[in-house]
Amino acid sequence: MLPGRVTVGGLVLAATLPIVFLHLRYQPAVTLHAGGASETFKLSDAMVLLTAVATLVAVRRRGTRDLRPGPTVWVTGLLFLGWIVLATFYPLLSHRSYAWKTHLVTAAEFCEYALLAPAVVVLLRRRADALLAFAALLAWTTVAVVIGVVQWAGWTGLHGWGRGHRQPSLLGPHEFAALSALTLGAGLVVLVLRVEERRVRAAAWVATVVGIVGFVLGGATAGIVGLVPAAVLAVWIAVRRRTADRRVLAGALAAAAVASVGVVALRAGDFGEFFRFLGLRPLNHSSSTNVQTYPQRTMLAYIGLRIWIHHPIFGVGWQGSNEVSGFGPELLAAHARFPHVSASSFPSAQHPYGVQILYLQALDDLGIFGFAFLVALIASALVIGMHAALRAPPDAALAATFGTVWIVILLGFWLAQGLVAGIPLDAMTWLAFGTVALRPYSQA
């Protein structure tokens, strides 16, 4: 036990959060070679494994009773992860080239990050543990937002994108926006569920403001698809539980609207190019020579859809859609379908790009069975979270609402991100899955 009633496990999890929410380029790392494959072991891997060790120690002492509220999450999660591992082997039965050793390593790393889900349930034993985790999330988001604001003002350090553009901060633009959205969501949940502690509510207001700014600076339009319904869901839960007045509820919806409008304004240039792609505006030289975000994503989705149509049952194997043997046969049709998209936008051996949509890549790589396990995992987490959010006592409802709102937010972000192992979005997602199963913790 540590001073302030924070447990060692709670301290470990709180210390892990900033590290797993940090881009690989800023982490110390070593490259390991074995059996013809290589793996970069980074600081975030070490912290995730340390968290897993703390979880195992806690389970050994107290048993598995903390995990009992979320059995379907653990079962469907294991089925999904197990299918990913299996999908690194069955492509060997085909005649396509497939770098199974490399992909087995990334599958292991993807499974490694899943350990964060049970860690949340087991390590956040006390209220002080949960408050420390919330403080760590808020503090790290604030640091990221300050850096993002400086980059937006013109500082090009830390790979800034230049004045007036979306910014990467410490994570990359997409995941900077995702981290900010989770912090914004946490702030809104605390406010609409009327947590009475003054310091927690004050932190929630800070989280809301910081989250809005970071969400806009990250400029991830896919995030809007998750943030808006998540804010509506939080308000609906608050109405059902009768915990907040109309001004607070309206403010929560307004916060989501302001954040969304800010992103649309920041990405106006990209939308303009997309309108050219759709034929609503005349094409220019840049449209056909440079990589344009939305036209490229549309073309990659088309390639991904064709991959699944040709491999509907088992897919092309874990990460197989990133290999030339996976996307190569579809390039001719893609060039014919999108003649005005720049040549540099198409995937190649040097620039695989990937499908860049989680759900479509799950179909491509894992087939209909792997996709079904993914849907089952998401659905089970939402069912468990919603049941507790509406019917559980206040502490359990608060945690379940956090997790449910975060999952809905992240479902939007995964519309513009493929399956990549060891990235901050992986950590955010598994932490959200764990949070829906978190139940009342001791005050003592």
Side-chain angles (χ1 to χ4, degrees):
M1 184 69 64
L2 297 173
R5 297 180 178 178
V6 175
T7 65
V8 173
L11 182 62
V12 169
L13 183 60
T16 298
L17 295 182
I19 306 303
V20 296
F21 299 154
L22 180 65
H23 197 283
L24 170 62
R25 67 169 65 100
Y26 307 121
Q27 298 185 36
V30 295
T31 301
L32 307 175
H33 301 275
S38 61
E39 166 64 1
T40 300
F41 186 82
K42 50 194 183 294
L43 179 59
S44 56
D45 293 314
M47 293 304 295
V48 171
L49 293 177
L50 177 61
T51 303
V53 170
T55 304
L56 287 174
V57 171
V59 169
R60 184 176 180 181
R61 289 178 177 175
R62 302 196 307 273
T64 59
R65 64 180 182 274
D66 295 329
L67 298 171
R68 291 172 188 169
T72 55
V73 173
W74 315 132
V75 171
T76 55
L78 287 173
L79 288 172
F80 177 58
L81 296 174
W83 191 264
I84 286 176
V85 174
L86 182 63
T88 63
F89 292 105
Y90 61 65
L92 298 177
L93 300 175
S94 71
H95 298 293
R96 294 180 292 105
S97 63
Y98 180 75
W100 71 273
K101 293 180 181 179
T102 298
H103 299 320
L104 182 60
V105 170
T106 61
E109 186 173 16
F110 191 83
C111 294
E112 170 200 310
Y113 269 55
L115 296 172
L116 292 171
V120 171
V121 179
V122 173
L123 298 182
L124 297 186
R125 295 178 53 201
R126 301 173 180 272
R127 189 176 186 83
D129 294 330
L131 290 175
L132 180 61
F134 178 53
L137 173 68
L138 176 56
W140 188 246
T141 306
T142 302
V143 171
V145 168
V146 169
I147 292 173
V149 169
V150 175
Q151 289 175 327
W152 181 82
W155 183 52
T156 57
L158 297 179
H159 300 267
W161 285 24
R163 179 176 298 176
H165 295 283
R166 61 188 303 212
Q167 300 299 334
S169 188
L170 295 168
L171 298 93
H174 193 72
E175 291 172 308
F176 174 33
L179 175 65
S180 300
L182 294 191
T183 303
L184 170 57
L188 296 181
V189 168
V190 170
L191 293 174
V192 300
L193 291 187
R194 198 183 294 173
V195 176
E196 298 296 339
E197 292 177 75
R198 181 175 298 179
R199 59 175 181 169
V200 178
R201 291 186 65 82
W205 283 109
V206 174
T208 301
V209 174
V210 167
I212 291 174
V213 175
F215 184 77
V216 173
L217 291 177
T221 51
I224 298 173
V225 180
L227 178 63
V228 172
V232 173
L233 177 63
V235 167
W236 183 72
I237 291 172
V239 170
R240 289 290 302 273
R241 294 188 68 93
R242 301 178 181 177
T243 59
D245 59 37
R246 293 181 179 179
R247 290 177 298 176
V248 174
L249 299 179
L253 296 176
V258 168
S260 301
V261 171
V263 170
V264 172
L266 188 67
R267 300 294 300 277
D270 291 319
F271 282 116
E273 287 298 334
F274 190 53
F275 292 148
R276 298 182 198 277
F277 168 74
L278 295 175
L280 301 178
R281 296 177 62 181
L283 294 172
N284 57 24
H285 180 71
S286 176
S287 302
S288 57
T289 57
N290 298 330
V291 176
Q292 304 296 340
T293 300
Y294 299 125
Q296 184 192 42
R297 288 189 179 277
T298 303
M299 177 269 296
L300 293 175
Y302 174 79
I303 291 176
L305 182 60
R306 288 183 61 90
I307 292 174
W308 179 62
I309 289 174
H310 294 142
H311 306 273
I313 306 302
F314 296 104
V316 291
W318 168 253
Q319 300 296 312
S321 58
N322 293 330
E323 294 202 355
V324 175
S325 62
F327 64 76
E330 316 303 337
L331 287 178
L332 185 62
H335 278 283
R337 178 65 179 81
F338 301 98
H340 300 299
V341 172
S342 65
S344 56
S345 297
F346 288 82
S348 64
Q350 293 73 31
H351 301 287
Y353 293 128
V355 178
Q356 299 187 10
I357 300 175
L358 166 73
Y359 315 105
L360 186 53
Q361 188 179 351
L363 285 167
D364 290 349
D365 291 1
L366 309 176
I368 195 66
F369 293 107
F371 179 77
F373 291 141
L374 172 63
V375 171
L377 170 60
I378 295 170
S380 63
L382 290 176
V383 168
I384 289 174
M386 285 301 300
H387 183 270
L390 294 174
R391 300 184 181 182
D395 279 347
L398 180 63
T401 305
F402 271 135
T404 306
V405 166
W406 283 347
I407 289 173
V408 173
I409 288 173
L410 293 168
L411 289 177
F413 279 96
W414 281 112
L415 284 168
Q417 175 63 59
L419 287 162
V420 180
I423 60 175
L425 202 59
D426 292 337
M428 297 175 199
T429 302
W430 289 111
L431 288 166
F433 282 143
T435 305
V436 296
L438 182 63
R439 291 298 176 263
Y441 27 78
S442 170
Q443 299 281 353

